[in-house]
Amino acid sequence: MKKFLSIVLVIALLFTLAGCGGAKDGKPADEGKDAATETSDKPKDAPSGEKRVIKVSTKFVDEEQTAKSLKKVVDAINERSNGSLELQLFTGGILPIGKDGMEQVVKGSEWILVDGVNFLGDYVPDYNAITGPFLYSTFDEYFGMLETDLVKNLNKEAEEQGIKVLELDWVFGFRSMMTDKPIKTPEDMDGLNIRVPNSRLYTYTIEAMGGNPVSMPYPDTYAAIQQGVINGVEGSIMTYWGTGQYENVKEYSLTNHLLGVSAITISTEVWDSLTDEQRTIIQEEFDKGSQDNLTETIKLEDDYAQKLKDVGVHFHEVDQEAFMEATAPVFTKFDKWTPGIYDEIMKELKEIKANLK
């Protein structure tokens, strides 16, 4: 009996010690737990060591050079950040692109959009002016425009709208017509339904060139051509080959009406919440990616042109002067553009061309 009582006393003592063991400096165990919880509950932008996951959305499919260069950028950023950043690349319009994608940026989503400069024009209208029809005949002319105060001021205006512009120079070639019939003059465009992105600039340009613009997401165009909804699309040699449109239409008319170029944008709210090191890594790698994309695009354009010819695509020269004259009124259709912006652009362009000689 004494042995039994001794065991009971020992057990009781153990429970008492266990109850006291959670206390430290006179605080009950529950108070210590609350304190730990409060310490870990830090603001989003506090240095907590948590991984930041940022989605990168683009219309380009995996086979296109821009998507290939973007993958290199995303992999490099994730590796350099040592786990503090995880960029996730979504190609082919899987996630919102265009207007919807830019809305994600503006509302502060963890989001990087890679899409046309024209979608910046919905927030800062003069972006459309610097990418208007038939302004540039070489990539270097456009790159020179990006160095002007005119464009630098546009980037500042974009920040006031909540958009941080990381790049404006991810070119993928000049855009021309991929259709089911040859085009040489504006009259040849009559009656043709041509897909355009959801952009007033593209709509007005195709209208002025003589066609019927049909707005739709690019991923829908392949089936739309097969079903006869549209007669073709406009885009670069890189896009023609990369998206397989040569399986649908075999006529490529070299209008070169617009420069194919993408902007890289992120929310200013997200950008400001990153550490200095994270911002440096992201900016540096997108800079490198821009050069990689440019180098590969220049190298591949001739290769892709030959591949297109090998699968039966016919290339056609056009009456460039006739198309330039037809599209001149496009620059008068935007009431939100700064008065005189076209003249300012042409003045800058004249100086750029002189310096490039």
Side-chain angles (χ1 to χ4, degrees), residues 271-284:
W271 184 251
D272 292 342
S273 71
L274 298 172
T275 65
D276 289 342
E277 181 182 17
Q278 289 171 332
R279 287 194 291 266
T280 297
I281 291 171
I282 290 173
Q283 187 68 69
E284 287 181 353

Side-chain angles (χ1 to χ4, degrees), residues 56-329:
V56 181
S57 179
T58 187
K59 64 187 175 186
F60 296 97
V61 299
D62 293 334
E63 291 77 14
E64 291 182 89
Q65 182 54 49
T66 297
K68 293 177 182 178
S69 293
L70 283 172
K71 186 176 187 309
K72 293 180 186 178
V73 170
V74 166
D75 289 345
I77 290 172
N78 291 345
E79 182 178 351
R80 280 185 64 186
S81 71
N82 294 319
S84 74
L85 291 170
E86 181 184 337
L87 269 63
Q88 300 174 345
L89 177 61
F90 294 86
T91 57
I94 295 174
L95 292 184
I97 53 176
K99 287 179 179 288
D100 294 336
M102 191 62 76
E103 285 177 7
Q104 293 292 328
V105 171
V106 172
K107 77 177 187 179
S109 300
E110 305 276 291
W111 195 275
I112 292 175
L113 179 66
V114 183
D115 213 331
V117 175
N118 52 293
F119 295 110
L120 279 164
D122 292 335
Y123 298 88
V124 182
D126 285 350
Y127 275 115
N128 277 330
I130 67 163
T131 53
F134 296 102
L135 283 178
Y136 311 104
S137 57
T138 68
F139 293 163
D140 285 338
E141 290 173 3
Y142 174 71
F143 297 151
M145 185 65 68
L146 299 185
E147 297 302 316
T148 64
D149 288 339
L150 187 160
V151 174
K152 291 176 182 178
N153 288 333
L154 295 184
N155 293 341
K156 291 177 183 177
E157 289 183 45
E159 290 194 20
E160 294 172 4
Q161 298 286 338
I163 304 166
K164 169 67 177 177
V165 178
L166 298 175
E167 304 279 350
L168 287 170
D169 59 355
W170 279 60
V171 298
F172 53 93
F174 283 94
R175 304 175 77 108
S176 290
M177 307 304 302
M178 316 171 206
T179 53
D180 54 11
K181 60 168 282 189
I183 295 168
K184 296 186 178 181
T185 67
E187 288 73 25
D188 294 330
M189 295 274 288
D190 185 38
L192 293 186
N193 294 324
I194 306 297
R195 176 269 173 184
V196 294
N198 188 11
S199 160
R200 290 174 66 199
L201 176 64
Y202 282 75
T203 297
Y204 291 155
T205 297
I206 294 302
E207 282 180 345
M209 291 174 69
N212 301 322
V214 179
S215 177
M216 69 172 63
Y218 197 90
D220 297 343
T221 60
Y222 192 90
I225 292 176
Q226 291 182 328
Q227 294 163 7
V229 176
I230 56 177
N231 300 103
V233 299
E234 47 85 56
S236 71
I237 287 176
M238 307 291 282
T239 298
Y240 203 170
W241 179 259
T243 60
Q245 293 288 17
Y246 56 85
E247 297 171 348
N248 289 325
V249 288
K250 300 289 188 181
E251 310 299 332
Y252 194 55
S253 303
L254 299 169
T255 52
N256 289 351
H257 52 278
L258 291 165
L259 177 63
V261 60
S262 294
I264 315 291
T265 56
I266 188 173
S267 161
T268 54
E269 180 182 342
V270 174
W271 184 251
D272 292 342
S273 71
L274 298 172
T275 65
D276 289 342
E277 181 182 17
Q278 289 171 332
R279 287 194 291 266
T280 297
I281 291 171
I282 290 173
Q283 187 68 69
E284 287 181 353
E285 293 304 327
F286 272 108
D287 288 348
K288 292 178 186 176
S290 171
Q291 186 58 51
D292 176 72
N293 180 66
L294 174 62
T295 301
E296 293 300 314
T297 295
I298 293 172
K299 183 171 69 175
L300 290 172
E301 276 192 323
D302 289 341
D303 293 344
Y304 283 4
Q306 187 57 54
K307 287 182 178 181
L308 288 166
K309 292 175 183 177
D310 291 344
V311 295
V313 170
H314 309 115
F315 282 65
H316 306 281
E317 296 294 334
V318 306
D319 186 342
Q320 201 81 8
E321 290 296 325
F323 278 109
M324 290 179 68
E325 184 178 344
T327 56

